[in-house]
Amino acid sequence: MTFLFRTAFAALFLALFLAPQIAGAANITRAVDETMGCRISVQGPIRQGDAETLRAVLEEIGYTNEYTPVGRRICLNSPGGFLLEGIAMANLIAEWRVGTAIPAGATCESACAVLFMAGRYGNPEAGGAFSPDRVLHPLGQLGFHAPSLQLGERAYTRDEVDKAYAIALDSMAEILRHRAEAGTSIPDSLFLDLLGTPPFQMTYVDTVGKAARWEVAIAPVAFPSGNARDALTNACWHVDSGLQDYGLDYGGGPLEFTFEEITADSLYALSTREFRYEGSARCELRLYGKTGFGDGEPTNYIGAAFYTGGATDQDISGSVFPYMLYPKETPINSLPVWRKGDTAHADGFFRAVRNPAAGGGAVTAFNSCRLSRTSAQVVNVNNFVNLRSAPGLRAPIVGQLQRAATVQVPDPGNLLPLRGNNDAAFCERMCNGLEQSPGDPNFVDSAKSCIAANMLWYQVVGQDGTTGYVSRHFLE
C-alpha cells in the first residue's frame, strides 16, 4: 500500500476531497422509486452536513422490519464529493441497515461509490445477521477511483507535502475502519483497484463478472433464454467468486447437474463437485421465478447457491440474481431489463430447464428415469448391493457392489423393465411419459415409485470387471 501512495504523489496524491469545482450539497429527500425499491433519494454532490440530513430523514421514517429489501433502499445519483462525509453516511446506512440503489440514467462515483457499498439488508428473523443489498440498474453507472486534491500551480514545502500525505493515509484508513467496524463487504480486489485508479480515471463496474465478484447486484434483469445448463453453471461460479473474491477463469465447460425438483417456476439443482477445497464441494441451486422471493420483485434475488461437501464445514451460501445467469464477460448495459409483471422471460427460462435439448431436465433422476452418463455411483444401501445375472431380485448373484463405488453403464439409454411384470410395463410407460413432459408431477411421482420398487434395471460393469444387473434404485 505504501508503494501505491508514493507513486500516486505524481498525480498530486491521494487525499480527502474531490475536485473543488463541484458546488452545492446533496438533495436528500423522501422519494419512492418503485423500480429500484427506494424510499429515500440522494441527488447531487456530497458535502459537509449531508450525513446529518440523511440521519434526520431516516429518523423521520423510523426503523423498518420488512421481510424483503425492496422498498427500503436509498437511491443515489451523485458524482461524489467529501469522502469523509460519504463515509459518515455509509456508517448511517450500516447502522440503519438500509439498502442502496443506482437507478437507470444515474451515476454514483468516488465518495458516492463508497457509501453505495454500505447497502445491506437484515431479515427480522436473522438474529442480527445481514447481507449486502446494493443494486445497480443495467443502465446506471458505478465508478471507483482514488480521491484527489486539486492543488494550485506552485511549489510546495515539505510540511505541506507531509500534511497532504497524512490526509491521504487518514482518508484511506477511514474506509478500512468502516469496513472493519461496520462489516461492509468491500472486497480486497476492489479496494486495490480503487487505490490503483488515478483521480482522473474511473474503474467502472461494467461487466457481469466484475459485479458478481464485488457482490453488486445488477437489476432489474430478465431471465436468459437458451441453454439452461450454461446459465446454471454461470450462477454457481458467479456466486462463489463473490463469496471468495476471485476472478473467474473456468474453462472446463458447463457443469453437469442433477435436478431434485423442477416445476414451471422453480428448481432445485445439484452440480458435480468442482468447488472449494480441491474441487470437492458441489453447488446446490434453489431458484424461483415469478412466484419466488419478494413476490417476483424485479430487483430482488431469485434464490440462493449453497456449497456443500468437501471441506465446507459451515453454511456457505449466497444470493442469486438473474444477471448471474449470464456469462462473465457480458456488458451490464447489454442485459435485458426485467419489468414487474413480465412473466415471459421467467416462463421461457424454466421451460428451457425442463427441456432435455436445452441442457435441462434430461440429466436428472427425477425428471428422467434414465441415467445421463456412462458411469454411476452406488447409493441407497448400507454397505453393498448384490450384482445379479439378470434383472430381478431373484436372479442369481454374480458379485457385490460397495456403497459409493463407481460402476460403468455401457448403455444409459437401455433401461430394462422386469419381464412379464404388469407393474414394470406400467413403469416403462410412465418413464416414457416423463421424458415427453419433464416436470409433470403425475409422471414424476409415478417414476419415483417405480424406481423405489425396483421395477427398472441396468446392466453395469463393476470395478473388478464383473458384468451384471442392478436396480436403477441403487444408482445415481
Side-chain angles (χ1 to χ4, degrees):
M1 185 180 297
T2 302
F3 173 78
L4 288 171
F5 280 127
R6 287 176 177 172
T7 56
F9 181 65
L12 297 181
F13 266 125
L14 301 176
L16 185 61
F17 305 120
L18 288 177
Q21 63 263 28
I22 298 178
N27 184 25
I28 303 173
T29 59
R30 296 180 63 172
V32 175
D33 185 316
E34 292 186 357
T35 299
M36 302 305 293
C38 296
R39 60 178 180 173
I40 297 174
S41 171
V42 175
Q43 300 274 341
I46 297 169
R47 286 289 179 261
Q48 290 180 337
D50 285 346
E52 285 306 311
T53 302
L54 177 60
R55 180 185 294 277
V57 174
L58 289 168
E59 289 177 348
E60 181 182 348
I61 294 174
Y63 284 98
T64 57
N65 290 308
E66 292 97 336
Y67 285 85
T68 171
V70 180
R72 57 193 305 278
R73 297 180 179 130
I74 301 174
C75 275
L76 303 172
N77 185 15
S78 170
F82 286 14
L83 178 57
L84 292 185
E85 195 71 14
I87 295 174
M89 296 171 75
N91 289 334
L92 281 173
I93 288 171
E95 175 189 345
W96 287 77
R97 297 196 177 184
V98 292
T100 52
I102 303 171
T107 296
C108 180
E109 296 175 342
S110 195
C112 176
V114 173
L115 71 92
F116 169 82
M117 295 299 290
R120 64 194 62 199
Y121 169 64
N123 190 297
E125 297 180 352
F130 60 87
S131 58
D133 180 46
R134 45 216 191 189
V135 184
L136 169 64
H137 193 283
L139 302 180
Q141 279 196 325
L142 173 63
F144 297 86
H145 67 62
S148 64
L149 180 64
Q150 295 289 328
L151 301 177
E153 295 293 333
R154 64 176 178 82
Y156 294 94
T157 67
R158 176 62 182 268
D159 287 344
E160 289 174 321
V161 171
D162 288 344
K163 182 177 181 180
Y165 186 66
I167 293 174
L169 289 177
D170 185 60
S171 64
M172 292 297 100
E174 285 301 316
I175 295 178
L176 292 174
R177 186 175 295 112
H178 167 78
R179 185 173 75 163
E181 296 179 355
T184 291
S185 176
I186 301 177
D188 290 345
S189 61
L190 173 57
F191 191 77
L192 290 173
D193 271 13
L194 182 155
L195 288 177
T197 304
F200 49 85
Q201 295 179 4
M202 195 71 66
T203 292
Y204 287 105
V205 180
D206 53 7
T207 65
V208 166
K210 284 184 184 179
R213 180 176 184 177
W214 295 337
E215 294 186 292
V216 174
I218 308 302
V221 172
F223 284 81
S225 58
N227 191 290
R229 191 170 62 169
D230 288 346
L232 299 180
T233 297
N234 291 332
C236 282
W237 284 112
H238 284 318
V239 173
D240 197 51
S241 74
L243 293 173
Q244 297 196 95
D245 187 18
Y246 65 85
L248 289 177
D249 186 24
Y250 52 92
L255 299 170
E256 295 286 346
F257 287 91
T258 57
F259 294 84
E260 297 294 319
E261 174 187 334
I262 303 178
T263 71
D265 61 2
S266 68
L267 67 86
Y268 174 31
L270 295 81
S271 81
T272 48
R273 298 181 184 275
E274 302 274 347
F275 296 88
R276 302 286 165 158
Y277 180 71
E278 293 184 346
S280 58
R282 67 184 179 187
C283 169
E284 298 183 10
L285 285 171
R286 294 183 182 270
L287 304 184
Y288 302 85
K290 58 182 179 296
T291 59
F293 295 101
D295 194 25
E297 292 284 357
T299 56
N300 206 354
Y301 53 95
I302 57 169
F306 306 83
Y307 300 87
T308 62
T312 56
D313 56 355
Q314 56 183 325
D315 181 15
I316 299 175
S317 62
S319 298
V320 178
F321 286 79
Y323 86 93
M324 294 177 171
L325 299 167
Y326 291 84
K328 63 181 183 297
E329 65 276 5
T330 306
I332 65 170
N333 61 9
S334 71
L335 294 169
V337 175
W338 181 26
R339 291 175 175 80
K340 188 171 183 177
D342 171 18
T343 62
H345 289 89
D347 290 344
F349 172 76
F350 285 100
R351 272 198 307 272
V353 172
R354 301 195 304 276
N355 180 7
V363 299
T364 168
F366 291 149
N367 284 270
S368 173
C369 297
R370 293 174 173 80
L371 296 170
S372 64
R373 306 174 70 179
T374 56
S375 64
Q377 189 176 50
V378 176
V379 295
N380 297 327
V381 296
N382 291 327
N383 297 303
F384 65 89
V385 63
N386 289 320
L387 187 64
R388 299 185 181 270
S389 62
L393 297 176
R394 296 183 180 182
I397 298 172
V398 297
Q400 292 180 341
L401 302 174
Q402 299 297 316
R403 180 171 66 88
T406 299
V407 298
Q408 297 304 307
V409 185
D411 187 357
N414 189 24
L415 185 60
L416 302 171
L418 288 178
R419 293 179 181 177
N421 187 300
N422 291 332
D423 289 339
F426 167 81
C427 288
E428 189 174 24
R429 293 194 300 273
M430 292 300 99
C431 288
N432 290 335
L434 180 59
E435 291 189 355
Q436 295 297 319
S437 303
D440 186 302
N442 294 321
F443 288 127
V444 169
D445 292 342
S446 295
K448 286 182 180 179
S449 298
C450 289
I451 291 171
N454 301 308
M455 291 289 133
L456 305 164
W457 290 67
Y458 267 112
Q459 184 185 51
V460 302
V461 181
Q463 291 178 327
D464 62 356
T466 303
T467 298
Y469 295 84
V470 65
S471 170
R472 171 68 178 83
H473 176 60
F474 301 116
L475 298 175
E476 179 182 78

